[in-house]
Amino acid sequence: MIKFLLSFLLIFTFNSYSQEEIRVSDIKVEGLQRIDPGLVFNNIPFEIDDKISSINYSKTIDLLFKTGQFKDISIEREDSVIIISVSERPIIYEINFFGSETFQPERLSEGLAFMNIGTGLVFDKADLVKAEQEIAKQYLGHSKYTARVVSEVIPLDRNRVNINFYIEEGRISRIKSVVITGNRTFKKDDLLDLITLRETNWLSWHNKDDRYSRQELSGNLEIIRSFYMDRGFLDFKINSTTVSISKNKKNIYIAINIDEGDEYKIGTIKVSGKIPEEVENKDKEEANLKDLRKEIFIEEGDVFNRKLVNQSSQKLTSMLGNYGYAFANVNAIPDIDKINNIVNFNFLLEPGKRIYVRRINVSGNDKTKDKIIRREMRQLESSWFSQADIDRSRARLSRTQFFDGIDIDTPGVTGVSDQVDVNIRVKERNTGSLSLGAGLSSDEGVVGTVTLSQANFLGTGNQVSVSISTGDINNIYSLSYLDPYWTEDGVQRGFSVYKKETNTKGQLNGAAEYSTDSYGGGVSFTLPVSEYEYIMAGTLLDLTTLELTGNAPQAYKNYCTSTGSASGTTSCDTSSWLFYSTYTIDTLDDSTFPTDGEKYTILADITAPVLDVKYYNIGFSAQKFFPWGGNYTSRLKGEVGYTDAYGGDTLPFYKRYRMGGQKTVRGYKEASIGKKTYDSVYKDYITNGGKHVIQASAETFFPVPGLKKSDSLRMSAFVDAGGVFDSLSAFSEMRYSMGVGGLWLSPFGPLNISFALPLNDGQYDKTESFQFGMGTNF
């Protein structure tokens, strides 16, 4: 028995020892078509000369499946050779869409790429089923509830496939009814007017407001909630929202049930927390900030208004931010008395640490020099952080018109809790241009323009422009140069020279014909008084010869005689040396399409008594914008002025104020407004303008209906008024109009159009309801 056990143990030991000594002599991979064998070898946990007994076949198969390249894997052994057999997943070669009108194929392909379905990706049938469901789901957002999506897989050679999606979009399901229940204080119709989802109406084909989407409904519910919360209903809630669809999936029914709750009023208001000394102890210029309580927009006894509460918190946060507390937090903590329907507020200040700016970094300015950007910055290095200064810096950089994009961020400095850097990234625009163009104007006929300009000359911020403009009335040739920072304090200096030829040829309807030939030049300086105020002063030497036609009005001939020319002459010199100055306050938020802010200008001109023309001019103009939100804004604009000769001279008729045309009172022809007199020589009723001018306009700007927001196109509705007089008692010569207009900043220059109805045109007034202008105006 003992011998038998010893023999068995010896045989078992020998066999085990032999098995352990067998090693992998070769590894073969079968079934590969497009995949490199290296992918397999890099993902298996063994190699040649490893012991066969150490191979974990299950683990090997799992690792290969994880590559996502195979749909079937098996492993076999022939003596010391390991054979790995694989079946590759096919590669997607092309994706096609048939029947899709709502979505562009490119957009669908971009969405499918996030689901691992795209050209060059590995095909998985499970992903294809999900893709069909997701595409159909997208059509639900466009109110197409009957949409069906079917896919087809077409095998190709080299283990590739094409995928075709066949889409039946179906018809649009439209909102049949929207019902709001539970309202007691406000009428149902008033609430329905707030939301954008509407029952099908005669404008739905254009507004598309009868198409249901979950996202838009959520937004509409928030609009209703905000409406109530801003009118005192602190406990307002939406109990339920039900959306149902008819059996034929043609009509959608929306039911909203609300609970208004009770109306609450504001109780006590206080400000607590740590108030920084910088905010408490301010100099005289900032005395209005001494009492933080005055900066809150709600008062005790007011009806609760969530919007005003939030704005109050934002205002206090902004104030702290302007004193360096960049990460300040202000919480409006309510204390609700449900018995008396009163809510008390405690505005808790948490200023945090005071932050200062370590460094200002500028990038993206390949052409523009660093100093050109830094000189516009109102936030300075090594000074306390101020959000107001950051915002103003962005606005000033935008007004230079040097950049298409301006991004400013303020990351914290690593390892330091009270410092930030200001990183400015700009995207430069091409500020140099050579434009050749032509335009049409209802005032000036055909206008041709050649302009060579560089608004950022050699990256210095200086402006250089050469321009030639030809039209039926004016031909102008000009050269100008402007250094916006002639001194480090921001004093501007500009030079200009020009030659101008004017020939009215009866184009100024209601005014007589004359022509001038002028050339001259000047220099100007602009001194900044504050961030929003500046004074400009300059001088202009103008050498002009005036030519009159044979049938020129007698008043024109009398003027030439007054300059010392022979009686009855049709030619005279009208040269002048003009000194001018303006004082301007400008807070407009944009130089092209302002939506907020105001601009006021006082001007005074006078000519030196050394040449032919002696006159002076004083005036005031103002405009103020009122933003409504939603890309709507209104503007009030006005101008008054007075001009006259001095030293016993006669005021040149071409220096008198003119009124009418697209830039003043629309609906009346250019320069046609004013007292009419019959001239026996000219044989027509003409106006000689006036010494006084009054002009006003109220205009509301809005996007073009049906067009997405555009930075280069907008429409307006307006009311214009204006007149010119020799005596302010002659207000009967004031003219009024109303109408609609449009402005497009086209590649060929600004295009202005207007349609206006004169409201009180006189017997001899020249009216023109439709007016337009295209091309550069001078």
Side-chain angles (χ1 to χ4, degrees):
M1 184 65 180
I2 295 175
K3 291 182 179 180
F4 175 77
L5 291 176
L6 289 174
S7 300
F8 177 80
L9 181 62
L10 182 61
I11 294 171
F12 178 79
T13 302
F14 176 79
N15 290 336
S16 299
Y17 177 78
S18 301
Q19 178 73 16
E20 290 177 359
E21 291 302 317
I22 297 177
R23 296 178 180 272
V24 177
S25 63
D26 193 13
I27 301 173
K28 294 182 179 180
V29 180
E30 298 178 349
L32 294 179
Q33 298 183 50
R34 56 175 179 79
I35 297 175
D36 190 277
L39 176 70
V40 176
F41 294 132
N42 290 335
N43 284 276
I44 58 177
F46 62 89
E47 57 187 16
I48 293 176
D49 206 37
D50 282 355
K51 295 178 181 179
I52 289 180
S53 60
S54 66
I55 298 176
N56 187 329
Y57 296 102
S58 297
K59 182 179 179 181
T60 302
I61 292 175
D62 287 343
L63 289 174
L64 290 177
F65 267 126
K66 286 181 180 180
T67 65
Q69 299 292 330
F70 309 108
K71 61 182 180 181
D72 190 24
I73 302 171
S74 64
I75 301 179
E76 299 177 353
R77 171 190 164 196
E78 293 183 359
D79 295 330
S80 60
V81 178
I82 303 298
I83 303 172
I84 303 175
S85 300
V86 298
S87 177
E88 296 180 356
R89 293 185 185 275
I91 286 292
I92 300 173
Y93 179 68
E94 189 175 73
I95 301 177
N96 302 302
F97 300 92
F98 301 94
S100 175
E101 297 180 0
T102 302
F103 300 105
Q104 294 293 328
E106 295 80 7
R107 184 179 172 186
L108 291 173
S109 296
E110 291 174 1
L112 291 179
F114 291 99
M115 303 180 66
N116 297 319
I117 295 181
T119 302
L121 299 179
V122 175
F123 172 69
D124 188 331
K125 193 170 184 178
D127 292 335
L128 188 61
V129 175
K130 295 178 182 179
E132 292 177 355
Q133 297 171 349
E134 184 60 30
I135 294 174
K137 185 178 178 181
Q138 295 304 311
Y139 281 94
L140 298 181
H142 287 71
S143 294
K144 293 189 175 182
Y145 288 86
T146 58
R148 293 180 63 252
V149 181
V150 177
S151 62
E152 178 187 19
V153 180
I154 302 177
L156 302 176
D157 57 352
R158 293 180 299 181
N159 203 26
R160 300 173 301 162
V161 295
N162 281 349
I163 300 177
N164 295 335
F165 288 96
Y166 299 95
I167 301 172
E168 294 181 10
E169 295 190 343
R171 62 190 175 194
I172 296 175
S173 302
R174 303 186 182 277
I175 298 174
K176 185 68 174 179
S177 71
V178 181
V179 177
I180 298 178
T181 58
N183 55 302
R184 295 177 286 106
T185 307
F186 302 100
K187 295 180 180 179
K188 171 190 171 183
D189 290 342
D190 294 336
L191 297 177
L192 291 177
D193 287 341
L194 297 173
I195 63 179
T196 56
L197 290 176
R198 305 288 175 86
E199 298 175 4
T200 302
N201 55 81
W202 68 279
L203 279 178
S204 294
W205 66 271
H206 179 267
N207 297 330
K208 297 179 175 59
D209 53 6
D210 62 344
R211 302 184 182 184
Y212 167 79
S213 76
R214 181 183 302 175
Q215 294 82 0
E216 190 160 2
L217 177 60
S218 298
N220 283 190
L221 295 178
E222 183 57 37
I223 290 173
I224 296 174
R225 181 178 289 106
S226 297
F227 176 81
Y228 274 95
M229 296 290 281
D230 293 343
R231 287 159 180 80
F233 295 89
L234 181 63
D235 293 332
F236 172 84
K237 61 182 179 180
I238 297 175
N239 292 326
S240 64
T241 303
T242 304
V243 179
S244 58
I245 189 169
S246 60
K247 290 183 178 180
N248 60 6
K249 296 186 178 182
K250 181 179 179 181
N251 299 318
I252 296 174
Y253 304 87
I254 301 175
I256 304 170
N257 179 258
I258 65 175
D259 182 358
E260 291 184 345
D262 297 323
E263 183 185 82
Y264 282 75
K265 291 192 175 182
I266 302 293
T268 59
I269 303 170
K270 66 177 182 179
V271 179
S272 63
K274 181 180 179 182
I275 303 178
E277 295 182 358
E278 294 80 7
V279 181
E280 287 182 324
N281 304 318
K282 293 168 283 293
D283 57 31
K284 295 181 180 179
E285 292 182 358
E286 297 165 340
N288 61 318
L289 299 180
K290 186 175 182 179
D291 187 358
L292 292 177
R293 172 64 183 80
K294 295 179 180 179
E295 301 301 323
I296 296 175
F297 300 120
I298 56 176
E299 297 290 342
E300 185 173 348
D302 290 351
V303 173
F304 167 73
N305 187 311
R306 183 178 68 174
K307 180 180 179 181
L308 293 181
V309 172
N310 292 336
Q311 289 179 346
S312 299
S313 298
Q314 293 170 3
K315 180 66 179 295
L316 295 177
T317 302
S318 177
M319 286 176 51
L320 294 174
N322 293 339
Y323 284 95
Y325 298 92
F327 306 115
N329 188 30
V330 178
N331 291 316
I333 302 175
D335 179 15
I336 302 174
D337 181 353
K338 291 185 176 292
I339 297 176
N340 298 309
N341 292 339
I342 291 176
V343 55
N344 306 308
F345 278 100
N346 175 21
F347 289 86
L348 179 62
L349 306 183
E350 299 176 355
K353 286 188 177 182
R354 201 176 188 194
I355 308 299
Y356 72 89
V357 175
R358 181 187 69 165
R359 186 178 297 120
I360 296 177
N361 304 309
V362 181
S363 62
N365 53 320
D366 298 329
K367 295 181 295 184
T368 306
K369 297 180 180 179
D370 259 25
K371 70 176 184 178
I372 305 305
I373 297 176
R374 292 181 182 275
R375 72 188 184 189
E376 301 295 339
M377 295 296 296
R378 292 301 175 258
Q379 174 67 65
L380 303 178
E381 291 180 340
S382 301
S383 65
W384 299 118
F385 173 89
S386 170
Q387 187 60 52
D389 289 341
I390 293 289
D391 294 340
R392 182 57 184 166
S393 300
R394 180 184 286 105
R396 289 182 63 89
L397 288 172
S398 177
R399 289 171 71 99
T400 64
Q401 301 293 309
F402 296 164
F403 311 108
D404 281 329
I406 302 169
D407 293 322
I408 301 179
D409 59 9
T410 54
V413 177
T414 303
V416 183
S417 61
D418 62 349
Q419 297 180 27
V420 296
D421 287 338
V422 176
N423 297 330
I424 306 170
R425 292 182 295 274
V426 298
K427 181 181 179 182
E428 293 181 309
R429 68 172 48 157
N430 184 10
T431 56
S433 65
L434 171 62
S435 61
L436 306 173
L440 294 174
S441 170
S442 55
D443 296 332
E444 200 167 332
V446 178
V447 178
T449 305
V450 179
T451 303
L452 174 63
S453 64
Q454 176 53 265
N456 188 12
F457 185 66
L458 298 179
T460 62
N462 298 336
Q463 302 173 22
V464 180
S465 178
V466 179
S467 179
I468 301 174
S469 177
T470 62
D472 286 352
I473 296 177
N474 294 309
N475 294 321
I476 304 173
Y477 313 88
S478 64
L479 169 65
S480 63
Y481 172 84
L482 176 65
D483 183 353
Y485 277 83
W486 181 50
T487 69
E488 293 184 358
D489 296 329
V491 176
Q492 295 184 10
R493 181 182 65 174
F495 299 98
S496 64
V497 292
Y498 66 89
K499 177 176 174 58
K500 180 178 180 180
E501 300 169 354
T502 300
N503 192 334
T504 64
K505 296 179 183 178
Q507 295 290 329
L508 299 182
N509 295 275
E513 299 178 9
Y514 66 90
S515 63
T516 61
D517 188 1
S518 308
Y519 58 94
V523 60
S524 65
F525 299 89
T526 302
L527 173 67
V529 178
S530 71
E531 185 64 28
Y532 303 100
E533 302 172 73
Y534 58 88
I535 296 174
M536 184 175 69
T539 182
L540 180 68
L541 179 63
D542 179 82
L543 305 177
T544 298
T545 300
L546 173 65
E547 295 283 348
L548 303 176
T549 60
N551 63 341
Q554 190 61 46
Y556 290 15
K557 295 178 180 180
N558 292 342
Y559 169 73
C560 270
T561 301
S562 71
T563 63
S565 301
S567 178
T569 185
T570 59
S571 176
C572 55
D573 292 330
T574 56
S575 300
S576 63
W577 187 4
L578 178 69
F579 292 86
Y580 58 90
S581 63
T582 63
Y583 170 70
T584 301
I585 301 175
D586 185 357
T587 64
L588 299 181
D589 60 347
D590 189 84
S591 59
T592 306
F593 279 163
T595 58
D596 196 3
E598 52 198 35
K599 184 175 182 179
Y600 306 100
T601 300
I602 300 173
L603 62 89
D605 306 342
I606 189 169
T607 58
V610 294
L611 295 176
D612 306 307
V613 177
K614 304 178 185 65
Y615 75 97
Y616 63 92
N617 177 38
I618 55 175
F620 172 75
S621 63
Q623 58 178 321
K624 183 175 178 60
F625 286 83
F626 304 87
W628 293 10
N631 300 322
Y632 287 78
T633 186
S634 294
R635 178 186 69 181
L636 294 180
K637 178 182 177 182
E639 176 187 2
V640 294
Y642 177 73
T643 185
D644 203 353
Y646 70 91
D649 280 17
T650 301
L651 180 67
F653 61 87
Y654 57 88
K655 293 296 183 182
R656 296 166 70 90
Y657 288 113
R658 305 283 178 173
M659 185 64 61
Q662 203 171 29
K663 296 181 181 179
T664 53
V665 181
R666 286 159 282 194
Y668 294 85
K669 289 190 175 182
E670 181 80 5
S672 66
I673 294 176
K675 183 179 180 180
K676 307 296 190 300
T677 58
Y678 184 80
D679 189 280
S680 58
V681 177
Y682 194 65
K683 296 181 180 180
D684 197 1
Y685 284 89
I686 65 171
T687 177
N688 292 318
K691 295 180 179 180
H692 299 270
V693 64
I694 299 177
Q695 192 258 327
S697 175
E699 192 162 8
T700 295
F701 301 95
F702 52 89
V704 179
L707 188 66
K708 293 183 178 180
K709 180 182 177 182
S710 172
D711 293 331
S712 61
L713 182 64
R714 66 178 179 179
M715 293 185 65
S716 67
F718 59 84
V719 176
D720 290 341
V724 290
F725 335 91
D726 279 337
S727 172
L728 286 178
S729 61
F731 269 90
S732 61
E733 298 301 326
M734 284 286 291
R735 293 293 182 262
Y736 307 91
S737 69
M738 63 183 297
V740 294
L743 173 61
W744 175 36
L745 298 180
S746 74
F748 309 101
L751 171 62
N752 291 276
I753 60 173
S754 64
F755 182 83
L757 297 177
L759 300 179
N760 66 331
D761 51 307
Q763 180 180 359
Y764 301 110
D765 284 337
K766 309 292 185 181
T767 61
E768 188 176 55
S769 294
F770 179 73
Q771 295 173 317
F772 65 94
M774 183 175 181
T776 304
N777 296 320
F778 292 88

